[in-house]
C-alpha cells in the first residue's frame, strides 16, 4: 500500500498545484485587462458557486458507487482544461466558463479524501486525513513557487500556463492510482439525505461559510491586489502567498497536538476567527510588504485551524457509510462563502475603496467568532456520546 499512497499523494499535490499556481496572480492579471473589482469578484466567486451546486450530488454518488478513482481522474482533467482555457482567452464569458470548470475540479476533492483513507486501516483514519492534507498544502506551496517564478519572468498571465502543466502531471499520475473499495453498510438515498438535518453537520457548515468567505475574498484574491497597488513585484506577491501556505503546513502540527485536543473546538474556532479579523485590519492598514507578510502568517494560522477543526467536526458524529455525503454537503454549503466573499469584497471595493472593504470583512469575522462561541456548545450538549469510530 505504500506505493499506492505515494502515487495518490503525488496526484493530490500536482492537482492542487494546478488549481493554485495562478491564484495569487489572477486578480492582478484581471486588473491588467481593465476589469472592475465587481466583475473580478464574480469571476473568483463562481468557483465556489459551482462547488455549492455539485458537491452534494457528487458526495451521494461517491457513497453509492465507490468509484473514487474515476472521480479523481475527472478532477485532474477538468483543472487542466480550466487553466489552459483561461490562458488562451480574454473573453469574459469564456473566462466564466473555465472558472466553472475549476470549481467542478475542486468538487472532486471528496473523492481524493475517501480514496486515500481507503489505503489505511479504520483506526488510522486521522493519520490518513493528516497526510492527504499535507499533500494538499505541499501542492499549494509548489504552486506558489512555480507561479511566482513564471509571473516574475513572463508576467501575470504566465502562471496559468504553469497550472496547465502541473495539471497534465496530475492527469498522468492519476492513471496509476490503485482503486479501493471502502467497506460500508448499504445505504439508501433517503438514509443518506438524512445527513442534511444533522446539527453536527449544519453548525460546522455554517461557520465554514464565514471561513471561506474571509479567505477567498482576501488571501486568495484581493490581498494580492493590495500588494500590487503598493508596488509589489510578482516575486513579492509570491512570497506573500508562500508565507500563507507554509504557515498552514506548520499549523497542522499544532492542530493535531494534545494541547489543541484539550482546548476543544469552541476556543480554537473563536480564537481563529478573531485572528482573521486582526488580519483584515492589518491588510487594510498595511503601508509596506513587511506588514503584509506578517498578516499572511496570521491568516495562515487562522485558516488552517478553522479548516482542520471544522472539517473534523462535520463528520465527528456521522457513521462511516454516510461520511462522503456529509462531507459533500458540508463542502457544498461552504461553497456559498466561497461565492459570496469575493463578490461582496469586489462590490465594496468599487463602492468605498480597498481599505474600508477589508475593515468591513474584519467585522464579519468578529461576528463569526461570536457565532462559534454560541453555537458549538449546542452541538456538544446534543451529542454527549463518544464520536463515531472510523
Amino acid at each position: 500500500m505504500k506505493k499506492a499512497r505515494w502515487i495518490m499523494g503525488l496526484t493530490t499535490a500536482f492537482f492542487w498545484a494546478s488549481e493554485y499556481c495562478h491564484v495569487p496572480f489572477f486578480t492582478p492579471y484581471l486588473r491588467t485587462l481593465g476589469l472592475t473589482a465587481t466583475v473580478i469578484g464574480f469571476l473568483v466567486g463562481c468557483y465556489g458557486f459551482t462547488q455549492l451546486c455539485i458537491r452534494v450530488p457528487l458526495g451521494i454518488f461517491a457513497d453509492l458507487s465507490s468509484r473514487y478513482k474515476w472521480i479523481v481522474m475527472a478532477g485532474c482533467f477538468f483543472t487542466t482544461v480550466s487553466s489552459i482555457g483561461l490562458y488562451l482567452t480574454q473573453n469574459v464569458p469564456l473566462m466564466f466558463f473555465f472558472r466553472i470548470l475549476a470549481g467542478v475540479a475542486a468538487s472532486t476533492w471528496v473523492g481524493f479524501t475517501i480514496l486515500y483513507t481507503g489505503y489505511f486501516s479504520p483506526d488510522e483514519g486521522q493519520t490518513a486525513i493528516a497526510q492527504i492534507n499535507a499533500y494538499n498544502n505541499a501542492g499549494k506551496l509548489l504552486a506558489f513557487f512555480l507561479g511566482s517564478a513564471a509571473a516574475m519572468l513572463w508576467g501575470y498571465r504566465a502562471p496559468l500556463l504553469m497550472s496547465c502543466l502541473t495539471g497534465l502531471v496530475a492527469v498522468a499520475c492519476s492513471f496509476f492510482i490503485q482503486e479501493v473499495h471502502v467497506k460500508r453498510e448499504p445505504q439508501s438515498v433517503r438514509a443518506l439525505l438524512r445527513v442534511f438535518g444533522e446539527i453536527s453537520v449544519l453548525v460546522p457548515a455554517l461557520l465554514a461559510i464565514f471561513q471561506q468567505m474571509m479567505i477567498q475574498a482576501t488571501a486568495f484574491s484581493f490581498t494580492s491586489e493590495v500588494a500590487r497597488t503598493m508596488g509589489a513585484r510578482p516575486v513579492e506577491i509570491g512570497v506573500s502567498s508562500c508565507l500563507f501556505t507554509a504557515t498552514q503546513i506548520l499549523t497542522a502540527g499544532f492542530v493535531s497536538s494534545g494541547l489543541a485536543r484539550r482546548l476543544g473546538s469552541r476556543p480554537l474556532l473563536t480564537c481563529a476567527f478573531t485572528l482573521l479579523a486582526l488580519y483584515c485590519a492589518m491588510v487594510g492598514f498595511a503601508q509596506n510588504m513587511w506588514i503584509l507578510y506578517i498578516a499572511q502568517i496570521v491568516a495562515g494560522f487562522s485558516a488552517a485551524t478553522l479548516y482542520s477543526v471544522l472539517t473534523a467536526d462535520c463528520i465527528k458524529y456521522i457513521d462511516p457509510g454516510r461520511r462522503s455525503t456529509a462531507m459533500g454537503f458540508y463542502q457544498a454549503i461552504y461553497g456559498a462563502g466561497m461565492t459570496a466573499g469575493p463578490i461582496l469584497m469586489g462590490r465594496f471595493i468599487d463602492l468605498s475603496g480597498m481599505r474600508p472593504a477589508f475593515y468591513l470583512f474584519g467585522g464579519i469575522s468578529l461576528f463569526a467568532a461570536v457565532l462559534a462561541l454560541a453555537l458549538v456548545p449546542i452541538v456538544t450538549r446534543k451529542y454527549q456520546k463518544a464520536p463515531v469510530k472510523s
Side-chain angles (χ1 to χ4, degrees), residues 261-315:
R261 288 193 295 271
R262 286 192 298 272
L263 286 172
S265 297
R266 189 188 192 193
L268 287 174
L269 294 174
T270 304
C271 177
F273 275 121
T274 303
L275 286 174
L276 270 186
L278 173 64
Y279 162 70
C280 288
M282 292 176 71
V283 175
F285 173 78
Q287 301 295 319
N288 57 64
M289 286 303 296
W290 287 107
I291 295 176
L292 208 61
Y293 289 155
I294 296 170
Q296 288 289 77
I297 293 172
V298 172
F301 175 83
S302 303
T305 301
L306 289 169
Y307 179 83
S308 298
V309 174
L310 291 173
T311 301
D313 282 358
C314 88
I315 58 172

Side-chain angles (χ1 to χ4, degrees), residues 161-227:
L161 187 58
M162 299 306 297
S163 284
C164 177
L165 295 176
T166 49
L168 288 172
V169 176
V171 170
C173 290
S174 70
F175 281 98
F176 299 96
I177 290 173
Q178 180 178 328
E179 183 70 277
V180 296
H181 298 284
V182 179
K183 294 181 180 179
R184 57 186 55 179
E185 294 296 323
Q187 299 278 352
S188 67
V189 173
R190 179 176 297 179
L192 294 173
L193 292 178
R194 281 201 289 269
V195 164
F196 302 167
E198 294 282 355
I199 192 172
S200 65
V201 180
L202 291 172
V203 168
L206 174 63
L207 294 174
I209 290 175
F210 289 98
Q211 178 235 344
Q212 291 291 336
M213 177 185 291
M214 300 300 301
I215 297 302
Q216 294 292 329
T218 57
F220 286 158
S221 53
F222 287 101
T223 297
S224 295
E225 178 61 13
V226 171

Side-chain angles (χ1 to χ4, degrees), residues 12-65:
T12 300
F14 280 103
F15 169 78
W16 284 111
S18 179
E19 287 279 274
Y20 277 85
C21 271
H22 62 281
V23 166
F25 311 98
F26 193 55
T27 298
Y29 167 61
L30 295 176
R31 277 297 207 185
T32 65
L33 300 181
L35 301 184
T36 67
T38 300
V39 173
I40 293 172
F42 274 99
L43 269 169
V44 175
C46 70
Y47 172 80
F49 179 75
T50 305
Q51 296 175 58
L52 176 64
C53 297
I54 290 178
R55 275 181 155 159
V56 169
L58 190 60
I60 293 173
F61 172 78
D63 272 331
L64 292 175
S65 70

